[in-house]
Amino acid sequence: MPCLLDGEVSAERRRQIRELIEHEKGSQVADLHVWRVGPEHLAAIISVIAAQPHPPEHYKKLLATHADLVP
């Protein structure tokens, strides 16, 4: 269930972000919040459970395909 901050971001958009992270074998998104921080910019907090965790920079690179997500 999205929280109040997530209200402006579509469920489809949150699904796309979740799938990018979970595409890696053994990774699961435990918690995801995405919110608007500007007219064309989004921010996200993502909690990942992974069999073989990577540093945050790895996940940021995965999300780089979404140009509107602020790194």
Side-chain angles (χ1 to χ4, degrees), residues 25-69:
K25 185 177 181 179
S27 294
Q28 179 183 2
V29 173
D31 196 22
L32 170 67
H33 296 282
V34 184
W35 65 96
R36 189 158 305 285
V37 293
E40 297 181 18
H41 293 91
L42 300 174
I45 295 177
I46 306 168
S47 297
V48 180
I49 299 171
Q52 295 181 344
H54 297 285
E57 292 304 318
H58 172 79
Y59 299 103
K60 288 179 182 181
K61 285 180 185 177
L62 291 178
L63 297 170
T65 57
H66 291 271
D68 58 348
L69 274 174

Side-chain angles (χ1 to χ4, degrees), residues 1 4 18-19 23-25 43 52 55 59-60 62:
M1 173 187 305
L4 183 60
R18 178 181 296 273
E19 285 181 355
H23 182 71
E24 291 201 335
K25 185 177 181 179
Q52 295 181 344
Y59 299 103
K60 288 179 182 181
L62 291 178

